[in-house]
């Protein structure tokens, strides 16, 4: 066992980990971040997506010690302080982008990653941005619509400021 | 065997010292994708993992000269995303930037490193054909000596028994490249291809075909070289009849090495069709 230290959703944590423990396992089983879902466990479905230093990553294909000293954001760190959904999560609800909901945490994180790096993405850029996240229910159109609308609203907010 | 230790190293010398420790079984880790796959499949068998992703000298991205030639040097722990966003790559090797962007989904592009893909030799999209067509060279540090090995030779070589570290990939600056790249992607799996073909030629003033390179990639089987078709075409006048003969040659050359099932037959047909289309696009 070894101790690592990193920021998880803005708070410093220092868990003890095994050298070959996956980050997904650490987040879910030790740190209680059960919004991070386990799907394929081989980096294909994207339901375990998180942000590491602002970059989209899949926690099932990372080892826990890799994030020593990093900033990690999970779906639990996206919501507003009072626990209510942020604008992107609300847009997912408004657009009917959630059906079974299993892909949703990863999809929201991937969407935040798109908007973090490109505040005005085209529909094609959105498609590419979520290409590593599989959804078997919605057919993606509602998800793309939710991201597009959030991007527009955030742009208006920035312009008003 | 459970991994006992995970060590972050800050410089190449420490990495080499640790990997050379014969009392332990050691492995490098950078992006972690290959290690995670080994772990999942139960093949991860080492005492300690040596994380080289934070070594600054393996993150460099610069123009260098070597034996009178100019190269773009890309550090081995740069991710495919970082390389695709490099100004050098976007301006000087635009087709390589395109190959990188199409190589996988965003999260995996952030995790895959150039060195990791070359060390494991596991194909990702059309990355390996692109590096071969660009005459890229792998810089491998072994026994304290830097060895420059062409990517083509590297991919066909046996894995070294002695400890080694891929430190960089060097891409030579040459005359402008004309290219055609076509692939058939697997549905729902970004970057994963059934088969793909890349044809490049260097721009020249003559009407003769010069320096044509043809490389393919077949899903998990990886690189396919069509060197005999390149030899057949080089130095000849461009004509539609010549291209037809080259495609015929390709069809004969592609012996089915990719299994015996219907999928294997499909791979062969796809590869032949893509060679034909790429040659037509580049030459005619």
């Amino acid at each position: 066992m070894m101790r690592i230290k990193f920021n998880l959703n803005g708070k410093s944590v220092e868990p003890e980990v095994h050298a070959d423990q996956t980050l997904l396992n650490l987040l879910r089983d030790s740190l209680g971040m059960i919004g991070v879902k386990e799907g394929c466990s081989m980096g294909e479905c994207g339901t375990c997506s998180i942000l590491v230093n602002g970059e989209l990553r899949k926690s099932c294909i990372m080892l826990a010690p890799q994030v020593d000293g990093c900033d990690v954001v999970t779906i639990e760190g996206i919501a507003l302080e009072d626990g209510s959904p942020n604008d992107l999560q609300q847009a997912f609800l408004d657009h009917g982008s959630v059906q079974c909901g299993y892909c949703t945490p990863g999809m929201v994180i991937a969407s935040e990653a798109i908007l973090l790096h490109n505040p005005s993405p085209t529909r094609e850029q959105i498609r590419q941005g979520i290409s590593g996240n599989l959804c078997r229910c919605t057919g993606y159109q509602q998800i793309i619509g939710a991201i597009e609308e959030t991007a527009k609203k955030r742009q208006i907010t920035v312009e008003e400021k | 065997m459970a991994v006992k230790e995970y060590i972050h190293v800050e410089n190449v010398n420490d990495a080499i010292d640790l990997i050379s420790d014969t009392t332990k079984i050691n492995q490098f880790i950078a992006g972690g994708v290959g290690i995670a796959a080994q772990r999942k499949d139960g093949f991860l068998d080492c005492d300690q993992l040596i994380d080289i992703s934070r070594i600054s000298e393996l993150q460099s991205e610069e123009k260098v000269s070597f034996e009178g030639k100019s190269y773009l040097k890309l550090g081995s722990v740069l991710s495919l995303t970082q390389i695709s966003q490099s100004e050098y790559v976007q301006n000087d090797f635009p087709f390589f930037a395109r190959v990188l962007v199409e190589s996988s989904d965003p999260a995996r592009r952030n995790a895959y490193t150039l060195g990791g893909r070359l060390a494991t030799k596991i194909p990702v999209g059309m990355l390996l054909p692109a590096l071969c067509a660009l005459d890229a060279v792998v810089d491998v540090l072994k026994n304290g000596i830097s060895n420059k090995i062409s990517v083509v030779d590297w991919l066909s070589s046996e894995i070294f028994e002695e400890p080694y570290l891929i430190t960089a990939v060097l891409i030579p600056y040459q005359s402008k490249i004309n290219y055609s790249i076509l692939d058939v992607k697997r549905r729902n799996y970004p970057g994963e291809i059934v088969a793909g073909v890349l044809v490049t030629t260097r721009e020249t003033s003559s009407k003769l075909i010069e320096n044509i390179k043809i490389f393919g990639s077949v899903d998990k089987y990886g690189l396919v070289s069509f060197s005999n078709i390149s030899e057949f075409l080089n130095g000849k006048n461009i004509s539609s009849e010549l291209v037809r003969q080259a495609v015929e040659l390709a069809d004969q050359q592609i012996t089915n090495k990719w299994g015996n099932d219907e999928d294997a037959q499909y791979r062969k047909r796809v590869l032949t069709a893509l060679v034909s289309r790429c040659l037509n696009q580049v030459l005619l």
Side-chain angles (χ1 to χ4, degrees), chain A residues 2 19-22 40-44 55-58 60-63 65-70 128-129 131-132 134 136, chain B residues 1-6 8 29-33 35-36 39-40 44 49 51 54 105-108 110-111 188-190 192:
Chain A
M2 59 187 286
D20 58 356
Q21 183 177 359
T22 65
C40 66
S41 299
M42 52 200 290
E44 292 198 336
E55 278 188 348
L56 184 65
R57 298 293 289 266
K58 292 176 176 174
C60 71
I61 51 171
M62 283 189 87
L63 297 186
Q66 282 184 269
V67 296
D68 190 20
C70 297
Q128 286 175 6
S131 61
L134 300 183
R136 302 292 72 181
Chain B
M1 180 198 298
V3 181
K4 294 184 190 79
E5 275 188 278
Y6 188 106
H8 287 280
I29 179 170
V33 183
I35 297 290
R39 181 192 176 282
K40 183 173 187 297
L44 183 57
L49 288 169
D51 190 328
R54 298 174 190 189
D105 62 75
R108 280 191 286 185
N110 290 337
N188 293 329
Y189 295 96
E192 290 189 24

Short mmCIF file of all heavy atoms in Angstrom, two decimals, chain A residues 2 19-22 40-44 55-58 60-63 65-70 128-129 131-132 134 136, chain B residues 1-6 8 29-33 35-36 39-40 44 49 51 54 105-108 110-111 188-190 192:
data_model
loop_
_atom_site.label_atom_id
_atom_site.label_comp_id
_atom_site.label_asym_id
_atom_site.label_seq_id
_atom_site.Cartn_x
_atom_site.Cartn_y
_atom_site.Cartn_z
N MET A 2 0.37 2.29 -0.62
CA MET A 2 1.08 3.57 -0.62
C MET A 2 0.05 4.69 -0.46
O MET A 2 -1.13 4.51 -0.77
CB MET A 2 1.84 3.74 -1.95
CG MET A 2 0.95 3.72 -3.18
SD MET A 2 1.84 3.72 -4.74
CE MET A 2 2.41 5.39 -4.83
N ALA A 19 -0.63 -0.31 -5.48
CA ALA A 19 0.11 0.20 -6.64
C ALA A 19 -0.60 -0.09 -7.96
O ALA A 19 -0.47 0.66 -8.92
CB ALA A 19 1.51 -0.40 -6.66
N ASP A 20 -1.39 -1.19 -8.01
CA ASP A 20 -2.06 -1.53 -9.27
C ASP A 20 -3.58 -1.41 -9.18
O ASP A 20 -4.31 -2.01 -9.95
CB ASP A 20 -1.66 -2.94 -9.72
CG ASP A 20 -2.01 -3.99 -8.67
OD1 ASP A 20 -2.47 -3.61 -7.57
OD2 ASP A 20 -1.81 -5.19 -8.95
N GLN A 21 -4.04 -0.58 -8.26
CA GLN A 21 -5.49 -0.36 -8.11
C GLN A 21 -5.96 0.61 -9.18
O GLN A 21 -5.29 1.63 -9.43
CB GLN A 21 -5.74 0.22 -6.71
CG GLN A 21 -7.20 0.42 -6.37
CD GLN A 21 -7.36 0.93 -4.92
OE1 GLN A 21 -6.37 1.10 -4.20
NE2 GLN A 21 -8.58 1.18 -4.55
N THR A 22 -7.10 0.34 -9.79
CA THR A 22 -7.57 1.31 -10.80
C THR A 22 -8.13 2.55 -10.10
O THR A 22 -8.61 2.48 -8.96
CB THR A 22 -8.67 0.74 -11.72
OG1 THR A 22 -9.83 0.46 -10.94
CG2 THR A 22 -8.20 -0.51 -12.45
N CYS A 40 -17.61 -1.02 -19.22
CA CYS A 40 -16.86 -2.06 -19.94
C CYS A 40 -15.54 -2.41 -19.25
O CYS A 40 -14.97 -3.47 -19.48
CB CYS A 40 -16.57 -1.58 -21.35
SG CYS A 40 -15.46 -0.16 -21.40
N SER A 41 -15.02 -1.50 -18.43
CA SER A 41 -13.72 -1.66 -17.74
C SER A 41 -12.54 -1.76 -18.71
O SER A 41 -11.48 -2.26 -18.35
CB SER A 41 -13.71 -2.89 -16.83
OG SER A 41 -14.69 -2.74 -15.84
N MET A 42 -12.74 -1.36 -19.95
CA MET A 42 -11.62 -1.40 -20.89
C MET A 42 -11.53 -0.13 -21.74
O MET A 42 -10.92 -0.12 -22.81
CB MET A 42 -11.70 -2.64 -21.77
CG MET A 42 -13.03 -2.84 -22.46
SD MET A 42 -13.29 -4.53 -23.00
CE MET A 42 -12.11 -4.63 -24.32
N GLY A 43 -12.12 0.96 -21.23
CA GLY A 43 -11.93 2.26 -21.88
C GLY A 43 -12.76 2.49 -23.11
O GLY A 43 -12.48 3.41 -23.88
N GLU A 44 -13.80 1.70 -23.31
CA GLU A 44 -14.57 1.87 -24.54
C GLU A 44 -15.90 2.58 -24.35
O GLU A 44 -16.34 3.31 -25.22
CB GLU A 44 -14.80 0.52 -25.22
CG GLU A 44 -13.49 -0.06 -25.74
CD GLU A 44 -13.66 -1.14 -26.78
OE1 GLU A 44 -14.73 -1.76 -26.78
OE2 GLU A 44 -12.72 -1.36 -27.54
N GLU A 55 -8.48 17.57 -18.19
CA GLU A 55 -8.53 16.72 -19.39
C GLU A 55 -9.47 15.55 -19.16
O GLU A 55 -9.48 14.95 -18.08
CB GLU A 55 -7.15 16.12 -19.67
CG GLU A 55 -6.22 17.03 -20.42
CD GLU A 55 -4.96 16.30 -20.84
OE1 GLU A 55 -4.74 15.17 -20.35
OE2 GLU A 55 -4.21 16.85 -21.64
N LEU A 56 -10.21 15.21 -20.21
CA LEU A 56 -11.11 14.07 -20.11
C LEU A 56 -10.30 12.78 -20.06
O LEU A 56 -9.41 12.56 -20.88
CB LEU A 56 -12.02 14.05 -21.35
CG LEU A 56 -13.11 12.97 -21.38
CD1 LEU A 56 -14.12 13.19 -20.27
CD2 LEU A 56 -13.81 12.97 -22.74
N ARG A 57 -10.58 11.94 -19.09
CA ARG A 57 -9.91 10.63 -18.99
C ARG A 57 -10.94 9.58 -18.58
O ARG A 57 -12.02 9.90 -18.09
CB ARG A 57 -8.79 10.68 -17.92
CG ARG A 57 -7.67 11.66 -18.22
CD ARG A 57 -6.84 11.26 -19.43
NE ARG A 57 -6.02 10.12 -19.18
CZ ARG A 57 -4.74 10.17 -18.78
NH1 ARG A 57 -4.16 11.33 -18.60
NH2 ARG A 57 -4.05 9.06 -18.59
N LYS A 58 -10.58 8.33 -18.80
CA LYS A 58 -11.45 7.22 -18.39
C LYS A 58 -10.80 6.54 -17.19
O LYS A 58 -9.68 6.02 -17.29
CB LYS A 58 -11.63 6.26 -19.56
CG LYS A 58 -12.44 6.90 -20.69
CD LYS A 58 -12.57 6.05 -21.90
CE LYS A 58 -13.48 6.73 -22.92
NZ LYS A 58 -13.57 6.03 -24.20
N CYS A 60 -11.31 3.85 -15.64
CA CYS A 60 -11.11 2.40 -15.61
C CYS A 60 -9.77 2.01 -16.24
O CYS A 60 -9.28 0.90 -16.01
CB CYS A 60 -12.25 1.68 -16.31
SG CYS A 60 -12.28 1.87 -18.10
N ILE A 61 -9.20 2.90 -17.07
CA ILE A 61 -7.91 2.57 -17.68
C ILE A 61 -6.80 3.48 -17.12
O ILE A 61 -5.82 3.78 -17.78
CB ILE A 61 -7.95 2.61 -19.23
CG1 ILE A 61 -8.56 3.92 -19.73
CG2 ILE A 61 -8.70 1.41 -19.77
CD1 ILE A 61 -8.42 4.10 -21.25
N MET A 62 -7.00 3.90 -15.89
CA MET A 62 -5.94 4.63 -15.17
C MET A 62 -5.71 3.92 -13.85
O MET A 62 -6.65 3.39 -13.25
CB MET A 62 -6.38 6.06 -14.85
CG MET A 62 -6.32 7.01 -16.01
SD MET A 62 -6.61 8.70 -15.44
CE MET A 62 -4.96 9.21 -14.97
N LEU A 63 -4.49 3.96 -13.38
CA LEU A 63 -4.21 3.44 -12.04
C LEU A 63 -4.28 4.60 -11.06
O LEU A 63 -3.94 5.74 -11.40
CB LEU A 63 -2.83 2.78 -12.00
CG LEU A 63 -2.64 1.56 -12.90
CD1 LEU A 63 -1.28 0.92 -12.65
CD2 LEU A 63 -3.74 0.53 -12.69
N PRO A 65 -2.40 5.55 -8.52
CA PRO A 65 -1.21 6.37 -8.25
C PRO A 65 -0.89 7.38 -9.36
O PRO A 65 -0.14 8.33 -9.14
CB PRO A 65 -0.08 5.34 -8.16
CG PRO A 65 -0.74 4.05 -7.82
CD PRO A 65 -2.07 4.10 -8.50
N GLN A 66 -1.49 7.20 -10.53
CA GLN A 66 -1.23 8.15 -11.61
C GLN A 66 -1.73 9.55 -11.29
O GLN A 66 -1.23 10.53 -11.86
CB GLN A 66 -1.91 7.68 -12.92
CG GLN A 66 -1.17 6.58 -13.65
CD GLN A 66 -1.85 6.23 -14.97
OE1 GLN A 66 -2.70 5.35 -15.02
NE2 GLN A 66 -1.49 6.92 -16.03
N VAL A 67 -2.74 9.68 -10.43
CA VAL A 67 -3.30 11.01 -10.16
C VAL A 67 -2.69 11.67 -8.92
O VAL A 67 -3.19 12.70 -8.47
CB VAL A 67 -4.85 10.98 -10.03
CG1 VAL A 67 -5.48 10.57 -11.34
CG2 VAL A 67 -5.30 10.09 -8.89
N ASP A 68 -1.64 11.09 -8.40
CA ASP A 68 -0.96 11.71 -7.25
C ASP A 68 -0.56 13.15 -7.64
O ASP A 68 0.14 13.37 -8.63
CB ASP A 68 0.31 10.89 -6.91
CG ASP A 68 0.92 11.32 -5.60
OD1 ASP A 68 0.21 11.96 -4.79
OD2 ASP A 68 2.11 11.03 -5.38
N GLY A 69 -1.04 14.12 -6.87
CA GLY A 69 -0.71 15.53 -7.14
C GLY A 69 -1.60 16.20 -8.17
O GLY A 69 -1.36 17.34 -8.54
N CYS A 70 -2.63 15.50 -8.65
CA CYS A 70 -3.47 16.05 -9.72
C CYS A 70 -4.79 16.61 -9.17
O CYS A 70 -5.14 16.39 -8.02
CB CYS A 70 -3.80 14.96 -10.74
SG CYS A 70 -2.36 14.31 -11.60
N GLN A 128 -17.82 14.65 -32.01
CA GLN A 128 -16.47 14.11 -31.80
C GLN A 128 -16.12 14.07 -30.32
O GLN A 128 -15.50 13.13 -29.83
CB GLN A 128 -15.44 14.96 -32.56
CG GLN A 128 -15.48 14.74 -34.06
CD GLN A 128 -14.54 15.66 -34.81
OE1 GLN A 128 -13.77 16.41 -34.22
NE2 GLN A 128 -14.63 15.62 -36.13
N GLY A 129 -16.54 15.12 -29.60
CA GLY A 129 -16.21 15.22 -28.18
C GLY A 129 -16.82 14.12 -27.33
O GLY A 129 -16.24 13.70 -26.32
N SER A 131 -17.57 11.15 -28.61
CA SER A 131 -17.46 9.90 -29.40
C SER A 131 -16.96 8.73 -28.56
O SER A 131 -17.13 7.58 -28.96
CB SER A 131 -16.55 10.11 -30.61
OG SER A 131 -15.25 10.47 -30.19
N GLY A 132 -16.37 9.00 -27.41
CA GLY A 132 -15.91 7.90 -26.56
C GLY A 132 -16.91 7.52 -25.49
O GLY A 132 -16.58 6.78 -24.57
N LEU A 134 -20.63 5.90 -24.94
CA LEU A 134 -21.71 5.18 -25.61
C LEU A 134 -23.03 5.36 -24.86
O LEU A 134 -23.07 5.28 -23.63
CB LEU A 134 -21.39 3.68 -25.68
CG LEU A 134 -20.11 3.29 -26.44
CD1 LEU A 134 -19.97 1.78 -26.48
CD2 LEU A 134 -20.11 3.86 -27.85
N ARG A 136 -26.93 3.78 -25.27
CA ARG A 136 -27.75 2.83 -26.04
C ARG A 136 -29.23 3.20 -26.03
O ARG A 136 -30.05 2.49 -26.59
CB ARG A 136 -27.58 1.41 -25.47
CG ARG A 136 -26.17 0.87 -25.45
CD ARG A 136 -25.60 0.60 -26.83
NE ARG A 136 -25.29 1.84 -27.54
CZ ARG A 136 -24.80 1.89 -28.77
NH1 ARG A 136 -24.57 0.81 -29.43
NH2 ARG A 136 -24.56 3.05 -29.35
N MET B 1 0.83 -11.85 -9.92
CA MET B 1 1.67 -11.17 -8.92
C MET B 1 1.17 -9.72 -8.75
O MET B 1 0.96 -9.02 -9.73
CB MET B 1 3.11 -11.15 -9.42
CG MET B 1 4.08 -10.47 -8.47
SD MET B 1 5.63 -10.02 -9.30
CE MET B 1 6.27 -11.60 -9.81
N ALA B 2 0.96 -9.34 -7.50
CA ALA B 2 0.52 -7.97 -7.25
C ALA B 2 1.72 -7.02 -7.35
O ALA B 2 2.82 -7.35 -6.93
CB ALA B 2 -0.09 -7.87 -5.86
N VAL B 3 1.48 -5.87 -7.94
CA VAL B 3 2.54 -4.87 -8.04
C VAL B 3 2.79 -4.30 -6.65
O VAL B 3 1.85 -3.90 -5.96
CB VAL B 3 2.13 -3.74 -9.01
CG1 VAL B 3 3.23 -2.72 -9.13
CG2 VAL B 3 1.77 -4.32 -10.37
N LYS B 4 4.06 -4.29 -6.25
CA LYS B 4 4.36 -3.85 -4.87
C LYS B 4 4.58 -2.34 -4.78
O LYS B 4 4.25 -1.71 -3.79
CB LYS B 4 5.60 -4.58 -4.35
CG LYS B 4 5.39 -6.08 -4.20
CD LYS B 4 6.62 -6.73 -3.60
CE LYS B 4 6.51 -8.24 -3.66
NZ LYS B 4 6.82 -8.81 -4.98
N GLU B 5 5.21 -1.79 -5.82
CA GLU B 5 5.57 -0.37 -5.72
C GLU B 5 5.21 0.39 -6.98
O GLU B 5 5.24 -0.17 -8.09
CB GLU B 5 7.08 -0.23 -5.49
CG GLU B 5 7.49 -0.33 -4.04
CD GLU B 5 8.97 0.02 -3.87
OE1 GLU B 5 9.79 -0.88 -4.11
OE2 GLU B 5 9.25 1.16 -3.52
N TYR B 6 4.91 1.65 -6.80
CA TYR B 6 4.64 2.56 -7.92
C TYR B 6 5.51 3.79 -7.68
O TYR B 6 5.37 4.45 -6.66
CB TYR B 6 3.17 2.93 -7.94
CG TYR B 6 2.73 3.71 -9.17
CD1 TYR B 6 1.98 3.10 -10.17
CD2 TYR B 6 3.07 5.05 -9.33
CE1 TYR B 6 1.57 3.81 -11.29
CE2 TYR B 6 2.67 5.76 -10.45
CZ TYR B 6 1.92 5.13 -11.42
OH TYR B 6 1.51 5.83 -12.53
N HIS B 8 7.10 7.45 -9.07
CA HIS B 8 7.17 8.56 -10.03
C HIS B 8 8.63 8.97 -10.15
O HIS B 8 9.28 9.23 -9.12
CB HIS B 8 6.37 9.77 -9.53
CG HIS B 8 4.90 9.58 -9.60
ND1 HIS B 8 4.18 9.74 -10.75
CD2 HIS B 8 3.99 9.22 -8.65
CE1 HIS B 8 2.89 9.50 -10.52
NE2 HIS B 8 2.76 9.18 -9.25
N ILE B 29 5.43 2.98 -16.96
CA ILE B 29 4.05 3.39 -17.19
C ILE B 29 4.07 4.87 -17.53
O ILE B 29 4.85 5.63 -16.93
CB ILE B 29 3.14 3.09 -15.96
CG1 ILE B 29 1.71 3.56 -16.21
CG2 ILE B 29 3.68 3.70 -14.68
CD1 ILE B 29 0.70 3.10 -15.16
N ALA B 30 3.26 5.26 -18.50
CA ALA B 30 3.15 6.70 -18.82
C ALA B 30 1.67 7.07 -18.88
O ALA B 30 1.11 7.59 -17.94
CB ALA B 30 3.87 7.02 -20.12
N GLY B 31 0.99 6.73 -19.97
CA GLY B 31 -0.46 7.00 -20.06
C GLY B 31 -1.27 6.01 -19.25
O GLY B 31 -2.35 6.31 -18.77
N GLY B 32 -0.77 4.80 -19.17
CA GLY B 32 -1.39 3.77 -18.32
C GLY B 32 -2.35 2.84 -19.04
O GLY B 32 -2.83 1.86 -18.44
N VAL B 33 -2.64 3.12 -20.33
CA VAL B 33 -3.64 2.30 -21.03
C VAL B 33 -3.17 0.85 -21.19
O VAL B 33 -3.92 -0.09 -20.93
CB VAL B 33 -3.96 2.90 -22.42
CG1 VAL B 33 -5.05 2.09 -23.11
CG2 VAL B 33 -4.41 4.35 -22.27
N ILE B 35 -0.90 -0.74 -19.42
CA ILE B 35 -0.79 -1.39 -18.11
C ILE B 35 -2.18 -1.80 -17.61
O ILE B 35 -2.37 -2.90 -17.09
CB ILE B 35 -0.11 -0.44 -17.08
CG1 ILE B 35 1.33 -0.12 -17.51
CG2 ILE B 35 -0.16 -1.01 -15.68
CD1 ILE B 35 2.29 -1.27 -17.41
N ALA B 36 -3.15 -0.90 -17.81
CA ALA B 36 -4.52 -1.22 -17.37
C ALA B 36 -5.06 -2.44 -18.11
O ALA B 36 -5.75 -3.28 -17.52
CB ALA B 36 -5.44 -0.01 -17.58
N ARG B 39 -3.46 -5.49 -16.71
CA ARG B 39 -4.03 -5.77 -15.39
C ARG B 39 -5.38 -6.46 -15.54
O ARG B 39 -5.67 -7.46 -14.88
CB ARG B 39 -4.19 -4.44 -14.63
CG ARG B 39 -4.74 -4.59 -13.24
CD ARG B 39 -5.13 -3.23 -12.68
NE ARG B 39 -5.74 -3.39 -11.39
CZ ARG B 39 -6.99 -3.78 -11.19
NH1 ARG B 39 -7.76 -4.06 -12.22
NH2 ARG B 39 -7.47 -3.90 -9.97
N LYS B 40 -6.20 -5.91 -16.44
CA LYS B 40 -7.55 -6.47 -16.62
C LYS B 40 -7.48 -7.91 -17.13
O LYS B 40 -8.26 -8.77 -16.70
CB LYS B 40 -8.34 -5.61 -17.61
CG LYS B 40 -9.77 -6.08 -17.79
CD LYS B 40 -10.57 -5.11 -18.63
CE LYS B 40 -12.04 -5.52 -18.66
NZ LYS B 40 -12.28 -6.81 -19.27
N LEU B 44 -0.50 -8.55 -15.89
CA LEU B 44 0.41 -7.59 -15.27
C LEU B 44 1.26 -8.31 -14.24
O LEU B 44 0.76 -8.73 -13.19
CB LEU B 44 -0.37 -6.44 -14.62
CG LEU B 44 0.47 -5.32 -14.02
CD1 LEU B 44 1.40 -4.72 -15.06
CD2 LEU B 44 -0.39 -4.24 -13.41
N LEU B 49 6.11 -0.48 -10.79
CA LEU B 49 5.79 0.33 -11.96
C LEU B 49 6.54 1.65 -11.85
O LEU B 49 6.51 2.29 -10.79
CB LEU B 49 4.28 0.58 -12.03
CG LEU B 49 3.42 -0.62 -12.40
CD1 LEU B 49 1.94 -0.32 -12.17
CD2 LEU B 49 3.65 -1.02 -13.86
N ASP B 51 6.75 5.29 -13.19
CA ASP B 51 5.96 6.28 -13.94
C ASP B 51 6.90 7.34 -14.52
O ASP B 51 7.52 8.11 -13.79
CB ASP B 51 4.94 6.94 -13.00
CG ASP B 51 3.94 7.80 -13.75
OD1 ASP B 51 4.33 8.39 -14.78
OD2 ASP B 51 2.78 7.88 -13.31
N ARG B 54 6.17 12.20 -15.94
CA ARG B 54 6.49 13.55 -15.47
C ARG B 54 7.93 13.95 -15.77
O ARG B 54 8.43 14.94 -15.23
CB ARG B 54 6.19 13.66 -13.98
CG ARG B 54 4.71 13.42 -13.74
CD ARG B 54 4.34 13.37 -12.28
NE ARG B 54 2.94 12.92 -12.16
CZ ARG B 54 2.24 12.91 -11.06
NH1 ARG B 54 2.79 13.33 -9.94
NH2 ARG B 54 1.00 12.49 -11.04
N ASP B 105 -11.00 8.17 -29.46
CA ASP B 105 -11.87 9.16 -28.86
C ASP B 105 -11.05 10.10 -27.98
O ASP B 105 -9.90 9.80 -27.65
CB ASP B 105 -12.98 8.47 -28.06
CG ASP B 105 -12.42 7.65 -26.93
OD1 ASP B 105 -12.00 8.24 -25.92
OD2 ASP B 105 -12.39 6.41 -27.04
N PRO B 106 -11.61 11.28 -27.59
CA PRO B 106 -10.82 12.27 -26.87
C PRO B 106 -10.14 11.75 -25.59
O PRO B 106 -8.98 12.04 -25.33
CB PRO B 106 -11.83 13.37 -26.53
CG PRO B 106 -12.90 13.23 -27.55
CD PRO B 106 -12.97 11.78 -27.89
N ALA B 107 -10.87 10.98 -24.78
CA ALA B 107 -10.31 10.53 -23.51
C ALA B 107 -9.12 9.59 -23.74
O ALA B 107 -8.11 9.67 -23.03
CB ALA B 107 -11.37 9.82 -22.68
N ARG B 108 -9.23 8.72 -24.71
CA ARG B 108 -8.11 7.80 -24.95
C ARG B 108 -6.94 8.51 -25.64
O ARG B 108 -5.79 8.18 -25.40
CB ARG B 108 -8.58 6.58 -25.73
CG ARG B 108 -9.26 5.58 -24.81
CD ARG B 108 -9.50 4.26 -25.47
NE ARG B 108 -10.59 4.35 -26.42
CZ ARG B 108 -11.08 3.31 -27.08
NH1 ARG B 108 -10.55 2.11 -26.91
NH2 ARG B 108 -12.10 3.45 -27.91
N ASN B 110 -6.09 11.44 -24.94
CA ASN B 110 -5.41 12.11 -23.82
C ASN B 110 -4.52 11.13 -23.04
O ASN B 110 -3.57 11.54 -22.38
CB ASN B 110 -6.43 12.70 -22.84
CG ASN B 110 -7.16 13.89 -23.43
OD1 ASN B 110 -6.65 14.53 -24.35
ND2 ASN B 110 -8.34 14.19 -22.93
N ALA B 111 -4.85 9.86 -23.11
CA ALA B 111 -4.10 8.86 -22.34
C ALA B 111 -2.99 8.20 -23.16
O ALA B 111 -1.91 7.92 -22.64
CB ALA B 111 -5.06 7.79 -21.82
N ASN B 188 -19.35 2.55 -33.75
CA ASN B 188 -19.42 2.81 -32.31
C ASN B 188 -18.09 2.76 -31.58
O ASN B 188 -18.04 2.98 -30.38
CB ASN B 188 -20.38 1.85 -31.60
CG ASN B 188 -21.81 2.06 -32.04
OD1 ASN B 188 -22.18 3.18 -32.35
ND2 ASN B 188 -22.57 1.01 -32.07
N TYR B 189 -17.01 2.45 -32.26
CA TYR B 189 -15.72 2.41 -31.57
C TYR B 189 -14.75 3.37 -32.25
O TYR B 189 -14.04 2.98 -33.16
CB TYR B 189 -15.17 0.98 -31.55
CG TYR B 189 -16.04 0.05 -30.74
CD1 TYR B 189 -16.99 -0.73 -31.35
CD2 TYR B 189 -15.92 0.02 -29.36
CE1 TYR B 189 -17.83 -1.55 -30.60
CE2 TYR B 189 -16.75 -0.79 -28.61
CZ TYR B 189 -17.69 -1.58 -29.23
OH TYR B 189 -18.51 -2.38 -28.48
N PRO B 190 -14.74 4.64 -31.81
CA PRO B 190 -13.96 5.66 -32.50
C PRO B 190 -12.50 5.27 -32.64
O PRO B 190 -11.86 4.88 -31.67
CB PRO B 190 -14.10 6.88 -31.60
CG PRO B 190 -15.32 6.62 -30.81
CD PRO B 190 -15.41 5.15 -30.63
N GLU B 192 -11.19 2.77 -34.01
CA GLU B 192 -10.93 1.36 -34.31
C GLU B 192 -11.37 1.08 -35.73
O GLU B 192 -12.50 1.35 -36.11
CB GLU B 192 -11.66 0.47 -33.30
CG GLU B 192 -11.03 0.57 -31.93
CD GLU B 192 -11.60 -0.46 -30.97
OE1 GLU B 192 -12.10 -1.49 -31.42
OE2 GLU B 192 -11.53 -0.19 -29.76
#
